[in-house]
């Protein structure tokens, strides 16, 4: 038997059904994929937009929930769909598969890299670990995630990470809100208000609102995972419970309390230091709460470690699926396309053992980690890519796919789907504008990006 021949999964239908996630676990996976980075980015985005950003944040959250349900509706009525590529092919043939594949997996790979960069940054922000560069911790995070994705091969195995990550970020968000409120009511805040710009505005700048809009969409940009999570959901009739729970928790328990509190307390100073935890660590008031602030940072780190296997899992599974198709191509050939589909559906599922998964997934994770460590100006560069991919995944593709596969019967739904596409196109334009300006600014401010990236101060 060739070394890379997968083993047969002998689970019967009832066993396989029990192996899938319930609707609560699915909600945890959806929420976990968004919450960590969003909690860190929302205060900065509200500062860039002003209080009007709160309204924009709520609109983005509601629309994202609706489009997640649109994708679920498509997968509910058409059996055999596993990811965005399958939906795209069903609607628009090979062109749809290509566009959906590029958009979905570019987004997932990019989010994985961003989360690794954030992991290194937050680790480096801890006083006890600040002597090592963030690049070192980014590489360490990549090694840790590789170990997790090898032993946790599917969404079912990483389902525990969803609620765990959500609980970690919720605890961190509560600590940030409580400490920030205590800070505002303290004598230290009077001193800070006199020496720093902590002002707030209803509209900060109409130009920076576009930046905030891109951040808000990114904060709800878990749609690249939606088809994969749905495919591993035990009861498709309860999918609406998963999406409603996830998006309401994210919006009303995570983003709004943290964003509103942070902007109210720190105001325009968020333009200088966008991460609230770093403000608290550097302030004299934060020294009075060293342990809670450190614990909040540690909980964000835990969230990132827990969510990275969720985000990278579809990428790894796609590589394995491609590898599997190549290995079994001779066995799956039949005379017609219909016969081919019947044969493939009748074949039992296959799995890889741990060593096989490591040999397939290690190169993929290595590429992701190396880019996170060494690719200069990646965050600004990635905003150009995600300006297209995330907007398509969250707004444009769900609307077009729903229209193509299940044409709307009412004028109201037609208008709504058209508005979703327009909303996404506006987001693409604003994302490209923000990304280009950010990339130019970052290159000018840091012309030597590789200087001292491995400089240890301890």
């Amino acid at each position: 038997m060739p070394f890379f021949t997968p083993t047969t999964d002998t689970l019967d239908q009832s066993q396989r059904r029990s192996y899938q996630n319930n609707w609560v676990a699915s909600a945890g996976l959806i929420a976990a994929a968004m919450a960590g980075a969003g909690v860190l980015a929302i205060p900065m985005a509200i500062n860039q937009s002003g209080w009007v950003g709160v309204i924009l944040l709520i609109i983005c959250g509601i629309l994202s929930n609706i489009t997640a349900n649109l994708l679920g509706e498509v997968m509910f009525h058409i059996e055999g769909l596993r990811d965005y590529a399958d939906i795209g092919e069903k609607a628009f043939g090979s062109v749809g598969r290509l566009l959906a594949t590029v958009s979905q997996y570019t987004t997932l790979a990019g989010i994985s890299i961003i989360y690794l960069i954030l992991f290194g940054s937050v680790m480096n922000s801890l006083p006890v670990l600040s002597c090592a560069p963030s690049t070192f911790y980014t590489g360490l995070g990549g090694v840790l995630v590789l170990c997790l994705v090898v032993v946790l091969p599917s969404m079912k195995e990483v389902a525990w990470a969803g609620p765990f990550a959500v609980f970690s970020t919720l605890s961190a968000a509560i600590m940030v809100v409580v400490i920030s409120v205590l800070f505002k009511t303290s004598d230290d805040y009077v001193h800070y208000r006199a020496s720093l710009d902590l002002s707030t505005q209803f509209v900060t700048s109409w130009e920076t609102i576009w930046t905030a809009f891109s951040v808000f969409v990114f904060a709800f940009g878990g749609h690249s995972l939606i088809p994969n999570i749905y495919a591993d959901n035990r009861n498709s009739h309860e999918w609406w419970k998963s999406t409603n729970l996830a998006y309401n928790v994210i919006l009303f328990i995570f983003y709004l309390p943290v964003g509103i509190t942070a902007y109210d307390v720190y105001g325009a100073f968020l333009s200088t230091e966008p991460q609230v935890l770093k403000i608290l660590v550097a302030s004299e008031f934060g020294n009075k709460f060293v342990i809670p602030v450190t614990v909040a940072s540690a909980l964000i780190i835990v969230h990132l470690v827990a969510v990275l296997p969720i985000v990278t899992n579809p990428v790894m599974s796609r590589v394995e699926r491609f590898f599997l198709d190549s290995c079994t191509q001779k066995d799956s050939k039949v005379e017609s396309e219909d016969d081919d589909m019947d044969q493939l559906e009748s074949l039992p599922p296959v799995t890889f053992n741990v060593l096989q998964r490591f040999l397939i997934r290690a190169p993929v994770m290595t590429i992701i980690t190396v880019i996170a460590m060494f690719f200069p100006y990646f965050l600004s560069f990635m905003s150009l890519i995600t300006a297209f991919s995330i907007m398509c995944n969250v707004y444009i593709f769900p609307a077009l796919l729903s229209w193509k596969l299940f044409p709307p019967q009412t004028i109201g739904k037609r208008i709504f789907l058209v508005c979703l596409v327009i909303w996404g196109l506006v987001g693409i334009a604003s994302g490209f504008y923000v990304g280009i300006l950010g990339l130019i600014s970052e290159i000018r401010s840091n012309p030597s990006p590789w200087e001292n990236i491995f400089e240890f101060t301890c």
Side-chain angles (χ1 to χ4, degrees):
M1 178 182 294
F3 179 75
F4 277 108
T5 300
T7 57
T8 301
D9 182 355
T10 58
L11 295 177
D12 60 30
Q13 188 64 29
S14 62
Q15 288 174 316
R16 193 171 297 113
R17 186 177 181 83
S18 66
Y19 190 68
Q20 295 175 312
N21 298 319
N22 58 36
W23 70 272
V24 177
S26 297
L29 290 171
I30 297 171
M34 298 181 288
V39 166
L40 294 175
I42 291 299
M44 174 196 68
I46 293 181
N47 172 63
Q48 291 172 327
S49 59
W51 289 117
V52 70
V54 175
I55 301 174
L56 187 58
L57 175 64
I58 294 173
I59 294 174
C60 288
I62 293 174
L63 292 180
S64 298
N65 187 10
I66 292 174
T67 54
N69 278 291
L70 284 178
L71 289 175
E73 179 181 312
V74 169
M75 297 187 72
F76 175 79
H77 290 287
I78 302 177
E79 295 183 359
L81 304 179
R82 296 289 302 178
D83 57 16
Y84 238 130
D86 292 341
I87 305 175
E89 183 176 24
K90 191 68 177 180
F92 299 105
S94 58
V95 175
R97 169 170 282 276
L98 176 62
L99 289 176
T101 299
V102 171
S103 180
Q104 179 182 15
Y105 293 103
T106 298
T107 300
L108 289 174
I111 291 175
S112 301
I113 295 170
I114 291 172
Y115 281 7
L116 279 176
I117 294 173
L118 287 174
F119 175 84
S121 176
V122 178
M123 288 281 285
N124 177 258
S125 70
L126 296 175
V128 70
L129 300 176
S130 60
C131 62
S134 60
T135 310
F136 170 78
Y137 295 117
T138 297
L140 188 65
V143 174
L144 180 58
V145 173
L146 173 60
C147 296
L148 291 174
V149 297
V150 168
V151 299
L152 305 171
S154 71
M155 282 295 180
K156 175 61 181 179
E157 281 82 10
V158 300
W160 62 269
F164 187 69
V166 170
F167 175 77
S168 299
T169 303
L170 176 61
S171 302
I174 291 173
M175 288 183 180
V176 168
V177 169
V178 171
I179 296 174
S180 296
V181 171
L182 292 174
F183 181 32
K184 186 170 184 178
T185 58
S186 69
D187 295 334
D188 298 276
Y189 188 75
V190 178
H191 167 72
Y192 267 81
R193 195 171 187 86
S195 59
L196 300 173
D197 183 8
L198 305 180
S199 62
T200 62
Q201 302 178 54
F202 182 72
V203 177
T204 302
S205 168
W206 289 109
E207 292 185 2
T208 54
I209 281 181
W210 297 115
T211 305
F213 178 43
S214 298
V215 173
F216 293 149
V217 175
F218 178 84
F220 291 106
H223 285 54
S224 297
L225 286 168
I226 292 295
N228 302 79
I229 296 174
Y230 181 95
D232 284 317
N233 189 50
R234 185 181 305 166
N235 190 344
S236 55
H237 291 278
E238 296 182 327
W239 176 249
W240 65 273
K241 295 182 182 179
S242 300
T243 54
N244 287 341
L245 177 61
Y247 283 92
N248 281 295
V249 166
I250 289 297
L251 177 60
F252 294 106
I253 298 181
F254 286 86
Y255 291 168
L256 286 178
V258 172
I260 291 174
T261 302
Y263 187 52
D264 180 61
V265 174
Y266 307 105
F269 186 62
L270 289 166
S271 299
T272 305
E273 177 49 72
Q275 291 193 25
V276 175
L277 289 174
K278 286 189 175 182
I279 296 177
L280 291 172
V281 168
S283 68
E284 294 180 5
F285 182 78
N287 293 333
K288 301 176 183 178
F289 292 87
V290 172
I291 294 179
V293 170
T294 303
V295 169
S297 299
L299 288 170
I300 293 294
I301 293 170
V302 170
H303 173 96
L304 293 172
V305 172
V307 78
L308 271 163
I310 299 174
V311 177
T312 57
N313 186 279
V315 180
M316 304 297 183
S317 297
R318 168 55 62 176
V319 175
E320 287 180 349
R321 184 174 171 181
F322 173 80
F323 193 83
L324 176 63
D325 290 343
S326 300
C327 290
T328 59
Q329 185 176 11
K330 293 182 180 180
D331 297 330
S332 62
K333 286 184 177 180
V334 287
E335 294 182 357
S336 68
E337 183 178 349
D338 293 337
D339 292 338
D340 184 55
M341 289 303 298
D342 292 339
Q343 178 175 334
L344 289 177
E345 290 176 1
S346 65
L347 291 174
V350 293
T351 58
F352 292 93
N353 63 40
V354 173
L355 180 57
Q356 292 169 342
R357 282 200 303 271
F358 175 81
L359 293 176
I360 295 174
R361 297 189 174 200
V364 179
M365 197 66 222
T366 299
I367 293 172
I368 290 175
T369 304
V370 169
I371 293 176
M373 294 174 66
F374 300 111
F375 194 96
Y377 321 118
F378 180 81
L379 294 179
S380 296
F381 180 77
M382 191 61 202
S383 67
L384 293 174
I385 299 176
T386 55
F388 172 79
S389 61
I390 289 185
M391 293 294 175
C392 286
N393 291 337
V394 177
Y395 300 123
I396 298 176
F397 285 170
L400 294 180
L401 294 172
S402 177
W403 189 306
K404 175 66 175 179
L405 295 172
F406 303 100
Q409 302 300 313
T410 63
I411 187 66
K413 187 170 183 179
R414 293 173 189 168
I415 294 174
F416 177 73
L417 293 179
V418 170
C419 289
L420 278 179
V421 174
I422 295 174
W423 183 268
L425 291 175
V426 170
I428 289 176
S430 66
F432 272 110
Y433 172 75
V434 170
I436 291 174
L437 292 183
L439 187 59
I440 294 173
S441 175
E442 195 170 353
I443 292 174
R444 288 176 177 175
S445 61
N446 185 22
S448 303
W450 292 288
E451 187 176 358
N452 301 324
I453 62 172
F454 280 120
E455 182 178 355
F456 289 79
T457 59
C458 51

